[in-house]
Amino acid sequence: MNTAEETSSKVREGEYFYLKSLNKPQLEAVKSLSGPLLILAGAGTGKTRVLITRLAHILVTKRALPSEVLAVTFTNKAAMEMKERVEKLIRRSTETMWIGTFHSLCARILRKHAEIVSLKTNFTILDTDDQTRLIKQVMEIKNIDLKRWPPRSMLAIIERWKDRGLSPTDVRDKEIGKFALGKSLTIYESYQQRLITLNAVDFGDLILHCLNIFKKSKDILFEYQRKFKFILVDEYQDTNIAQNLWLKKIAFGQNNICCVGDDDQSIYAWRGAEVDNILNFEKDFSNARTIRLEENYRSTSHILSSASGLISHNKGRLGKTLWTSIDGGEKINIKSFWNGRSEAVSISEEIVRLQKKKSRLSEISILVRASFQMREFEERFMKMGLPYRVIGGPRFYERMEIRDAIAYFRVIIQSQDDLALERIINVPKRGVGKSTLQILYKHTRSQGVCLYEAIQQIISTDELRPSLKNTLEDLLKQFERWRTEINSMEHSEFCAMVLDESGYMEMWQKDKSPDAEGRLENLKELVGAIREFDSLSSFIEHVSLVMENTENAKEDKINIMTLHGAKGLEFDTVFLPCWEEGNFPNQRSLDEGGEKSLEEERRLGYVGITRAKKRVYVSFAVNRFIYNQLVSCIPSRFVSEIPEEHVKEEESLLFDDQDGFSDQEDSFFSQEENFYKKSKIAPINITPGRKFPSSYKHKSKESDFVQEAVKIGEEVFHDKFGYGKIKSMQGNKLEIIFQTGIKKVLKSFIKKR
């Protein structure tokens, strides 16, 4: 009896019962145990099940002992789930099996052979804060200006080098760049030396040191090559260069490596993932073969065909076509809106409709390209009492930068707000540390005054050093001046001015850390949100109530997250808003990475669509307030790339050129309503599945804010105050004579007539 017949017989007899429910390609992937194998698994095709079943089959057929199998996952949770599911299938322990993340497996090897790379076996693994402090020390020794060259930025450079498997000796001159006056390599060298002295490693070192161990000791490398008869890798498309090098070195012995992944879901280039690893698998491993899993068990045919149509525009892919036996279903619903808030209104109303049809809120998700785009949906849901959760990060008003900004506004409105003042008294850094606060609070307790008054009183004494006294005096003068100006400016402009003059915006502008750009976007979104309220006080009250109400939300909640955070998840209903050029695909990504980044942005769209099981809503706005400026938008190119036969066409909602806003609009948008009615912005006639000219521009009499040069005496337009003439100018601050009187405004808030 040949092997295939023997396997079939045992399946019938029940010994290989776990093979019964597999489809033909899945079964082939499980049983192909010799040589390198790439399982190209599309979204919802059962890749995890195949990986687990393959692992179980290796152990049941006694091809290897558990200790001779290496299984690599990307999260500890995934590793634990894989271990538990395999044990359930084979009905015995797999305790000796090497299963875990790249970092945990490399740490295990490094503990055993630490001396090879000048470490002791009890080395410490540093967290991000420890790394930052250490790199700061190194940079200070080298007299690097930390304000100009933030330590976290230097760490990011080092991480990129380690992701590529580059030790200091491997970094070439052309890769050094101009950061820290061209001293980045010497900082890297000193940082690594310091780590050795401390008997410590960072996460990048775990893989890098293993590579160096294998390079320095062929015997140790041969030991692991002989040991692991089978290697299994999940989410192979997310591996970086160093991880792939590590896999190739270990796999070289037995050459039985099986990698499972989807090139169409490679969306983490920004954190080092290299899609070329999966694209070049057959080149990297001789005699490799590829098995495609294309039958999807998650989504309807319309959803899959739409996703396939979109991703087919990518050139850098191995190619596959998802299909399903689930016929029909709803077509992709594509809608256009006049602005972001009307988009939020429509989506919230659609969710209520779905809820009435017994859809669970937890099976509904809103996926955005960037976190700042969540704000309008959060506001709308809070207004309607719809419970929601933000996955992968805090709610908008709970984010650190938003809390900091609001703390400034609270102190301006209410100087007795000690908690708010304490929060920002040293943000940005002003040299006000814990010892200074202790002195101030001692005075508040003894005199029975608030922190603000305590500062006023103590700066007239000699309790503090002169430089600190001057700093605190300047800060109080700023607050006093802001209070005199709060009623002379439009409140959103006023808040923008406060964030600018306080140095808070500049702090994040100079910060080169990966999350700095997102924090700036959130702050600009905050300024835009304030314009929706009658006054700064009403906004602060609104935020307080919002924060209070979040505690009482039900467990069944709408999910809001970024497209990156949605990978691996699934929902009945998926909303994909903000599909406009510049927003998605993201313009900054295109500027930095060109065609390669465009293809990754398209993969993000593919991931978004394939999260849905039953229905998908794609939407875009004709006009959108971006950073408090009204911008005319065109639909994302991805809208036209979705095949027309799978799209449900709908007319634009919430605005009519003849009648203004429809009955669906409410007073929540009253401030913006007048502007749109004045502007008479022409509607856009979308036809999904058709091409939009790249030069398309919405015609509008007043729709675009400009920041061109203006001069005294020139007539300009302001959204709230109307037309006026410039009386005086000081930097970006203008004094303008309006019909309602003289107002102080920021230059970015006006437009030429």
Side-chain angles (χ1 to χ4, degrees):
M1 189 180 291
N2 61 38
T3 305
E5 290 174 341
E6 187 181 350
T7 300
S8 300
S9 174
K10 291 192 175 185
V11 170
R12 288 193 298 272
E13 293 167 7
E15 187 173 348
Y16 298 159
F17 65 93
Y18 47 82
L19 301 179
K20 285 184 178 180
S21 58
L22 300 178
N23 63 34
K24 188 176 179 181
Q26 288 175 335
L27 186 61
E28 186 183 2
V30 169
K31 291 164 59 180
S32 301
L33 299 178
S34 298
L37 175 66
L38 174 64
I39 302 175
L40 198 62
T45 57
K47 70 172 182 68
T48 304
R49 183 185 179 194
V50 168
L51 192 64
I52 289 165
T53 307
R54 179 184 171 91
L55 185 50
H57 195 58
I58 290 169
L59 299 176
V60 169
T61 56
K62 297 182 171 56
R63 302 292 183 97
L65 298 170
S67 60
E68 296 172 328
V69 177
L70 177 69
V72 189
T73 64
F74 265 81
T75 66
N76 291 312
K77 182 183 177 184
M80 288 298 298
E81 287 178 355
M82 184 181 291
K83 185 175 181 295
E84 289 169 2
R85 288 176 65 177
V86 169
E87 288 180 347
K88 190 175 179 180
L89 278 180
I90 67 175
R91 298 166 187 166
R92 65 174 185 267
S93 173
T94 59
E95 204 58 45
T96 59
M97 187 167 62
W98 282 56
I99 182 168
T101 64
F102 280 101
H103 291 119
S104 66
L105 294 169
C106 286
R108 189 172 173 180
I109 294 173
L110 189 55
R111 293 279 181 203
K112 189 176 179 181
H113 309 289
E115 72 282 352
I116 304 293
V117 285
S118 304
L119 290 168
K120 298 174 183 175
T121 55
N122 63 341
F123 61 79
T124 302
I125 302 173
L126 302 186
D127 60 21
T128 304
D129 288 343
D130 290 334
Q131 293 173 49
T132 304
R133 284 199 297 273
L134 183 58
I135 199 75
K136 183 180 177 182
Q137 293 171 10
V138 171
M139 293 174 74
E140 284 174 339
I141 292 170
K142 295 188 178 295
N143 297 315
I144 303 297
D145 185 350
L146 301 185
K147 290 184 178 179
R148 186 179 178 188
W149 313 107
R152 283 190 292 178
S153 300
M154 185 66 236
L155 271 180
I157 293 172
I158 292 173
E159 285 170 5
R160 285 199 295 272
W161 283 335
K162 290 184 178 182
D163 285 344
R164 293 163 57 199
L166 301 177
S167 298
T169 53
D170 301 319
V171 178
R172 293 171 292 184
D173 290 345
K174 65 179 183 181
E175 297 171 319
I176 296 173
K178 297 180 180 179
F179 187 88
L181 304 174
K183 296 180 180 179
S184 54
L185 180 56
T186 61
I187 295 169
Y188 182 19
E189 291 169 341
S190 299
Y191 173 71
Q192 291 300 102
Q193 290 167 3
R194 186 67 180 143
L195 284 170
I196 296 294
T197 303
L198 296 172
N199 193 38
V201 299
D202 60 23
F203 276 94
D205 281 330
L206 294 172
I207 298 172
L208 188 64
H209 281 322
C210 277
L211 289 173
N212 287 331
I213 289 169
F214 294 158
K215 191 184 295 183
K216 291 180 180 181
S217 175
K218 299 298 181 185
D219 290 341
I220 294 174
L221 175 59
F222 293 154
E223 176 190 335
Y224 289 102
Q225 288 176 341
R226 288 192 300 269
K227 178 180 178 61
F228 297 121
K229 293 182 179 180
F230 292 92
I231 300 172
L232 294 90
V233 186
D234 195 12
E235 304 288 1
Y236 185 58
Q237 77 282 346
D238 294 334
T239 55
N240 60 37
I241 292 174
Q243 291 164 343
N244 199 43
L245 282 171
W246 183 82
L247 286 171
K248 286 196 291 186
K249 284 183 178 295
I250 294 178
F252 186 76
Q254 309 285 343
N255 209 34
N256 282 333
I257 182 171
C258 172
C259 296
V260 182
D262 184 1
D263 55 325
D264 292 334
Q265 295 189 69
S266 180
I267 58 174
Y268 296 121
W270 52 276
R271 68 183 190 195
E274 182 55 67
V275 70
D276 285 347
N277 290 344
I278 192 169
L279 297 179
N280 296 329
F281 183 86
E282 292 186 350
K283 294 179 183 176
D284 290 339
F285 297 94
S286 57
N287 300 316
R289 56 186 299 226
T290 299
I291 295 175
R292 287 169 169 80
L293 305 184
E294 297 175 309
E295 184 176 1
N296 178 282
Y297 296 94
R298 175 190 299 160
S299 309
T300 66
S301 57
H302 282 307
I303 291 172
L304 295 181
S305 298
S306 298
S308 296
L310 173 65
I311 202 64
S312 67
H313 289 79
N314 273 9
K315 296 176 182 177
R317 61 190 295 263
L318 296 171
K320 63 184 174 306
T321 303
L322 297 183
W323 64 276
T324 181
S325 57
I326 307 170
D327 291 329
E330 298 181 25
K331 291 186 176 184
I332 305 296
N333 191 308
I334 298 183
K335 294 182 181 180
S336 64
F337 297 98
W338 286 100
N339 55 53
R341 285 180 287 182
S342 59
E343 181 182 51
V345 168
S346 178
I347 288 175
S348 64
E349 289 175 349
E350 183 66 15
I351 290 173
V352 171
R353 188 185 69 80
L354 290 169
Q355 195 180 25
K356 287 178 179 177
K357 291 186 174 182
K358 307 303 181 186
S359 289
R360 287 178 55 81
L361 295 181
S362 58
E363 284 295 330
I364 298 172
S365 187
I366 295 174
L367 309 182
V368 296
R369 176 60 180 85
S371 59
F372 76 91
Q373 294 166 336
M374 298 177 184
R375 201 268 313 167
E376 273 184 318
F377 298 101
E378 290 192 52
E379 290 277 8
R380 186 66 192 174
F381 294 160
M382 287 181 294
K383 181 181 173 100
M384 296 183 67
L386 286 170
Y388 71 94
R389 65 170 64 87
V390 174
I391 297 177
R395 295 167 180 253
F396 184 81
Y397 291 116
E398 293 171 354
R399 294 183 171 100
M400 177 190 71
E401 65 276 13
I402 302 302
R403 285 181 175 268
D404 287 346
I406 290 172
Y408 270 102
F409 307 153
R410 283 167 54 184
V411 176
I412 293 169
I413 292 170
Q414 218 266 86
S415 63
Q416 290 86 9
D417 194 333
D418 283 8
L419 291 174
L421 181 55
E422 183 182 344
R423 182 180 182 93
I424 51 86
I425 195 169
N426 200 41
V427 182
K429 299 286 186 188
R430 299 186 177 94
V432 184
K434 289 182 180 178
S435 58
T436 305
L437 279 172
Q438 285 175 353
I439 294 170
L440 293 171
Y441 272 123
K442 183 180 178 181
H443 191 74
T444 64
R445 290 191 296 270
S446 65
Q447 300 299 311
V449 297
C450 66
L451 182 59
Y452 195 95
E453 287 182 63
I455 297 171
Q456 287 178 319
Q457 293 174 14
I458 213 163
I459 58 178
S460 63
T461 70
D462 295 321
E463 291 286 342
L464 304 174
R465 64 181 186 274
S467 61
L468 188 55
K469 281 168 57 177
N470 293 335
T471 297
L472 290 173
E473 188 176 3
D474 290 342
L475 181 61
L476 293 193
K477 284 180 180 177
Q478 271 192 316
F479 278 113
E480 295 299 329
R481 179 170 54 77
W482 288 332
R483 288 192 189 102
T484 64
E485 295 185 356
I486 191 169
N487 295 319
S488 65
M489 300 177 68
E490 199 276 330
H491 49 279
S492 62
E493 297 178 35
F494 172 78
C495 292
M497 181 186 73
V498 170
L499 294 178
D500 183 41
E501 293 184 351
S502 65
Y504 192 74
M505 292 294 284
E506 186 183 12
M507 179 186 80
W508 288 115
Q509 287 164 353
K510 289 182 175 179
D511 192 312
K512 299 297 191 293
S513 62
D515 59 346
E517 189 66 36
R519 296 191 189 279
L520 281 168
E521 288 176 342
N522 290 335
L523 288 167
K524 292 170 182 175
E525 181 68 17
L526 174 69
V527 172
I530 293 169
R531 68 180 290 129
E532 297 165 9
F533 296 85
D534 295 331
S535 66
L536 183 56
S537 298
S538 63
F539 170 74
I540 298 294
E541 183 179 338
H542 165 77
V543 172
S544 301
L545 293 172
V546 165
M547 302 298 282
E548 181 73 23
N549 290 338
T550 58
E551 301 299 322
N552 301 318
K554 303 173 185 175
E555 283 305 310
D556 188 32
K557 303 175 182 177
I558 304 162
N559 303 284
I560 307 177
M561 68 193 82
T562 63
L563 286 161
H564 285 101
K567 188 169 173 292
L569 304 177
E570 59 182 43
F571 308 92
D572 285 347
T573 304
V574 169
F575 290 91
L576 300 171
C578 310
W579 277 41
E580 302 104 18
E581 283 292 312
N583 284 330
F584 187 58
N586 180 269
Q587 190 59 51
R588 190 170 67 252
S589 295
L590 299 186
D591 292 342
E592 292 174 358
E595 187 67 25
K596 192 172 182 179
S597 290
L598 174 61
E599 295 208 346
E600 175 143 332
E601 291 287 300
R602 191 176 282 113
R603 291 195 291 269
L604 264 179
Y606 173 85
V607 167
I609 293 173
T610 55
R611 298 311 92 198
K613 292 189 281 186
K614 296 180 179 179
R615 58 190 73 87
V616 176
Y617 297 81
V618 175
S619 58
F620 62 89
V622 176
N623 307 278
R624 196 177 290 278
F625 273 95
I626 300 176
Y627 308 148
N628 212 32
Q629 294 190 33
L630 188 67
V631 178
S632 211
C633 304
I634 63 172
S636 167
R637 69 190 76 187
F638 300 155
V639 172
S640 66
E641 291 175 359
I642 298 174
E644 189 174 354
E645 61 269 26
H646 303 293
V647 166
K648 177 184 178 183
E649 299 185 28
E650 288 208 13
E651 293 180 3
S652 303
L653 301 180
L654 301 179
F655 187 86
D656 181 272
D657 193 43
Q658 301 299 318
D659 302 318
F661 282 77
S662 77
D663 294 334
Q664 298 178 60
E665 191 60 277
D666 60 26
S667 60
F668 186 67
F669 310 118
S670 58
Q671 291 190 32
E672 194 173 319
E673 179 180 349
N674 291 330
F675 178 79
Y676 281 109
K677 284 180 177 179
K678 262 185 192 178
S679 305
K680 287 291 183 182
I681 303 173
I684 175 173
N685 180 25
I686 70 154
T687 305
R690 301 201 182 152
K691 300 294 181 183
F692 297 95
S694 59
S695 61
Y696 179 87
K697 189 82 175 174
H698 299 289
K699 301 294 187 289
S700 171
K701 180 182 173 184
E702 302 170 349
S703 64
D704 295 322
F705 285 92
V706 296
Q707 296 194 49
E708 301 172 20
V710 290
K711 57 183 183 259
I712 294 172
E714 189 170 2
E715 189 168 7
V716 292
F717 179 83
H718 187 278
D719 181 21
K720 184 174 181 178
F721 303 123
Y723 289 99
K725 283 188 178 180
I726 299 175
K727 180 185 176 187
S728 64
M729 300 171 58
Q730 186 176 357
N732 66 338
K733 297 179 197 172
L734 310 178
E735 244 186 10
I736 301 177
I737 306 169
F738 296 101
Q739 288 185 350
T740 53
I742 298 174
K743 303 291 184 182
K744 294 179 181 178
V745 301
L746 295 178
K747 182 181 174 184
S748 58
F749 286 78
I750 61 105
K751 50 188 185 293
K752 284 189 170 183
R753 188 170 183 180

